[in-house]
Amino acid sequence: MKRIGVLTSGGDAPGMNAALRAVVRACAYNNIEVEGIFQGYQGMIEGDFKRLNERSVARILGRGGTILKSSRSKEFMTKEGRKKAYDNLKKHGVDGLITIGGNGTFTGAHVLYQEYGVPVMGIPGSIDNDIYGTDHCIGFDTATNTVVDAVDRIRDTATSHNRLFFVEVMGRNSGFIALKAGIATGAIAIILPEDEMTVEELIETLRATEESGKTSSIVLVAEGSKSGGAYEIARQVNERYDEYETRVSVLGHLQRGGAPSCYDRVLASRMGVAAVDGLLQGRKDVMVGIVNDRESYTSLEEAITRKNLPNRDELRIARILAI
Ligand code: F6P
């Protein structure tokens, strides 16, 4: 392997730059050239390539976002789009590809391998943390800490006004952020797509805690919750229970920004090096992960068809403590 291409795709996540840096430097260490592919798969189709060396990735370790930029390319979902993308890989002499992203990113990489035999290696970066084959995805730790900081602030005003707040956090199909941040901020209830609490159960909890003297509360809602998000749940609760004045706060994209935490920087650095190691060992069509503190590789097929699920014990703990 002489030249590796690298891209970031899908929703960005804090620590993607740290992963890119690790890939580029591990390649330089092994005398392999790197083509940075900008704008994800769309840039691959449009030929947006630029040669990177160890100095091109200086001072990005602690920067949020992705200097490679990202996209969700519709064109890459077509055969014609992928043909153009593959032609550009050949034109630039790329003989291995590292893709940093989530499920959609890996689905694209897997198809590229199946159709054209390109050796592909995935690095899981997604604040949703739902990718199978790794204990944690790059960006999740930072995003969760951002949420904890925001909810702590909301707690102050909720307490001052004796209010009930519904705070919606990201997680398209996943409740990892809601669950971890919910425990860390003492939420009265956590609504996750993987284990939905009904509105009746929620009202029961609110009533019981109010009777024991609670004067304000925070409910964390994952955006992917089947009950319809924070506004809808607040509306349904208000219809049947009006002891509290309520407010809704949707945290949105601020969760995806900011400097990566120490944990994410280290995770991304380890995964970036392991991705290059894996390609050099002849691994392809796989994703690198860290499982029980060890580098490991999972087939992309498995990574995209299975899903990490939040820990049920943590959900139980959250319910015990919300008393
Ligand atoms: O995949 C990460 C994620 O942040 C989800 O939690 C969220 O639903 C989605 O991306 C938002 O995507 P976009 O930035 O394209 O609106």
Side-chain angles (χ1 to χ4, degrees):
M1 203 160 279
K2 292 200 169 63
R3 191 173 298 158
I4 284 177
V6 58
L7 60 79
T8 51
S9 159
D12 61 351
M16 280 185 164
N17 281 329
L20 170 68
R21 170 182 177 271
V23 166
V24 172
R25 294 215 167 152
C27 281
Y29 182 84
N30 288 290
N31 293 316
I32 295 166
E33 291 174 331
V34 181
E35 283 288 342
I37 303 169
F38 286 72
Q39 320 278 354
Y41 291 115
Q42 196 55 38
M44 197 188 282
I45 292 169
E46 290 167 13
D48 200 351
F49 289 51
K50 191 177 157 204
R51 190 66 61 81
L52 302 177
N53 65 30
E54 60 274 34
R55 294 280 76 79
S56 327
V57 289
R59 290 178 300 282
I60 66 167
L61 177 59
R63 272 171 65 184
T66 160
I67 64 160
L68 283 182
K69 313 256 179 171
S70 190
S71 66
R72 300 190 195 273
S73 172
K74 290 227 162 61
E75 203 180 343
F76 193 77
M77 291 177 191
T78 66
K79 255 191 176 310
E80 300 71 41
R82 292 195 293 275
K83 168 82 172 66
K84 283 189 209 162
Y86 175 66
D87 288 345
N88 277 327
L89 284 182
K90 278 192 73 176
K91 186 172 143 198
H92 288 87
V94 170
D95 40 22
L97 178 68
I98 295 179
T99 62
I100 308 170
N103 199 282
T105 306
F106 297 158
T107 305
H110 185 50
V111 175
L112 208 53
Y113 173 74
Q114 287 179 316
E115 290 180 349
Y116 296 103
V118 179
V120 289
M121 168 73 62
I123 298 181
S126 165
I127 65 162
D128 289 358
N129 201 46
D130 54 351
I131 300 166
Y132 183 81
T134 187
D135 289 344
H136 292 114
C137 299
I138 295 167
F140 169 64
D141 182 68
T142 308
T144 310
N145 278 298
T146 301
V147 170
V148 168
D149 180 54
V151 176
D152 282 348
R153 289 163 197 262
I154 289 172
R155 168 81 67 192
D156 290 344
T157 175
T159 309
S160 305
H161 288 265
N162 290 339
R163 280 175 175 162
L164 167 63
F165 264 85
F166 292 85
V167 181
E168 184 175 298
V169 299
M170 275 188 167
R172 198 178 357 222
N173 300 305
S174 151
F176 274 97
I177 295 180
L179 180 55
K180 291 276 186 200
I183 292 175
T185 57
I188 195 72
I190 305 169
I191 318 265
L192 324 171
E194 295 90 346
D195 188 328
E196 201 96 358
M197 182 184 218
T198 64
V199 170
E200 286 69 32
E201 285 169 330
L202 175 54
I203 291 173
E204 221 171 272
T205 308
L206 291 171
R207 193 165 274 133
T209 50
E210 200 230 325
E211 277 166 12
S212 71
K214 203 161 171 35
T215 54
S216 65
S217 281
I218 307 259
V219 176
L220 273 201
V221 183
E223 66 173 333
S225 87
K226 296 180 198 80
S227 331
Y231 277 103
E232 176 55 23
I233 296 173
R235 190 191 65 75
Q236 290 182 26
V237 169
N238 279 334
E239 259 178 19
R240 281 172 262 177
Y241 179 75
D242 60 0
E243 288 305 314
Y244 284 111
E245 194 182 355
T246 64
R247 291 290 186 270
V248 176
S249 188
V250 178
L251 297 187
H253 284 79
L254 71 84
Q255 296 163 87
R256 286 228 302 252
S261 63
C262 170
Y263 185 89
D264 276 330
R265 294 180 198 197
V266 175
L267 183 71
S269 300
R270 286 181 68 175
M271 285 182 177
V273 172
V276 174
D277 284 347
L279 277 180
L280 294 183
Q281 289 155 7
R283 295 179 198 267
K284 47 193 153 195
D285 198 28
V286 296
M287 180 198 91
V288 62
I290 308 282
V291 178
N292 290 329
D293 208 24
R294 283 268 163 82
E295 281 71 1
S296 75
Y297 300 88
T298 302
S299 74
L300 284 182
E301 176 82 40
E302 204 175 4
I304 58 191
T305 49
R306 299 181 69 173
K307 189 173 178 280
N308 263 4
L309 294 172
N311 185 333
R312 295 210 155 257
D313 289 342
E314 289 188 355
L315 200 53
R316 186 175 153 267
I317 287 163
R319 291 202 173 141
I320 291 173
L321 299 179
I323 189 165

